[in-house]
Amino acid sequence: MAIVYKLHSETPQMRRIEKIRDALRDGAVVLYPTDTVYAIGCDLNAKSAIERVRKLKQLSNDKPLTFLCPSLSNIAQYAIVSDASYRLIRHLIPGPYTFLLPATKLVPRLVQDPKRKTTGIRVPNHAICQALLQSLGNPIISTSAPTVVHAEDQFIDSAELFDQLDQRVDIIIDDQSPIRTQVSTILDLTQAEPIVLRKGLGWEAVSDLKVTLSSQEAR
């Protein structure tokens, strides 16, 4: 049964943040709110926890995982960022965007795409995520909770979500806010020109930058 921590969405209580941080360092898996959907995750350095997250989401090892960083300077530690990509990312963060980038050696193989050697990175605009990242001192794995329905017109009840995952995670963070159902916008920055792989929250800001749509999104 998971431990539930109720945190203020704008000013999270630091003593509770520190308890969650310590649990993450010990390999805990957490269900937590982000600036998009609720996510499940763990410490980037906790190999056994990453494997649990993959199993929980039924993700094979060739499916890359996204992780959260607190700032652009942290992204540069874990990804190779060109000057053009740097300018684009700086314009959009913090916010609901996932950037697909070439991974550095600091990114565990369990997280990256084994063929392309790429990884997805986010800098969330969410006080709880930022507090956890600052306290932990390294990235947090982030993949959407398996029971969250990605539909704007469908209400997701937090009690139902928590109940379904109570036996599958170690910690649940409740910010007592309505469940978000819109996913992040994904931008592929591995090529010379950025490409939008998925339109999600914040898409309007990306469209203003005249970023290329993938063939799938252009339909």
Side-chain angles (χ1 to χ4, degrees):
M1 185 174 181
I3 299 173
V4 178
Y5 288 94
K6 291 186 177 181
L7 298 179
H8 192 281
S9 60
E10 298 297 330
T11 56
Q13 303 88 324
M14 288 310 300
R15 291 184 66 179
R16 295 178 185 179
I17 287 289
E18 290 166 358
K19 289 183 178 180
I20 297 168
R21 173 204 64 197
D22 292 343
L24 288 172
R25 287 177 175 170
D26 288 339
V29 172
V30 60
L31 173 68
Y32 61 104
T34 73
D35 53 352
T36 58
V37 298
Y38 250 83
I40 54 170
C42 62
D43 187 330
L44 179 69
N45 297 321
K47 181 179 178 181
S48 61
I50 294 174
E51 291 172 342
R52 285 181 60 198
V53 170
R54 284 195 174 280
K55 184 177 180 180
L56 201 157
K57 273 293 291 282
Q58 297 182 336
L59 294 173
S60 60
N61 288 338
D62 62 347
K63 298 293 184 182
L65 289 166
T66 297
F67 59 86
L68 308 184
C69 283
S71 68
L72 182 53
S73 61
N74 297 100
I75 288 180
Q77 297 180 48
Y78 297 94
I80 300 169
V81 185
S82 67
D83 290 342
S85 294
Y86 183 95
R87 290 191 294 270
L88 176 63
I89 295 171
R90 184 177 61 183
H91 184 81
L92 295 172
I93 63 171
Y97 305 98
T98 299
F99 305 103
L100 186 62
L101 291 157
T104 68
K105 293 182 179 180
L106 290 179
V107 179
R109 291 184 179 181
L110 273 175
V111 174
Q112 59 183 277
D113 185 317
K115 295 181 179 179
R116 300 183 65 195
K117 307 299 181 184
T118 59
T119 193
I121 301 179
R122 290 197 57 211
V123 179
N125 184 19
H126 194 279
I128 292 175
C129 292
Q130 286 290 343
L132 280 173
L133 289 165
Q134 294 292 344
S135 185
L136 187 62
N138 53 258
I140 296 173
I141 292 297
S142 183
T143 183
S144 59
T147 57
V148 173
V149 179
H150 302 153
E152 295 181 43
D153 59 348
Q154 184 162 346
F155 176 75
I156 304 296
D157 181 73
S158 60
E160 182 180 358
L161 174 65
F162 298 166
D163 184 63
Q164 290 186 30
L165 292 174
D166 180 60
Q167 302 295 326
R168 306 175 70 186
V169 299
D170 304 303
I171 295 171
I172 294 173
I173 298 177
D174 181 6
D175 68 353
Q176 303 172 73
S177 298
I179 296 291
R180 300 172 185 266
T181 57
Q182 285 184 284
V183 293
S184 64
T185 293
I186 300 179
L187 295 99
D188 186 342
L189 304 181
T190 62
Q191 307 299 322
E193 295 294 329
I195 298 174
V196 175
L197 299 181
R198 181 179 73 192
K199 289 193 289 186
L201 273 175
W203 157 245
E204 295 81 7
V206 175
S207 63
D208 290 342
L209 300 175
K210 304 296 190 292
V211 176
T212 303
L213 280 171
S214 71
S215 58
Q216 181 176 352
E217 282 293 350
R219 294 172 184 170

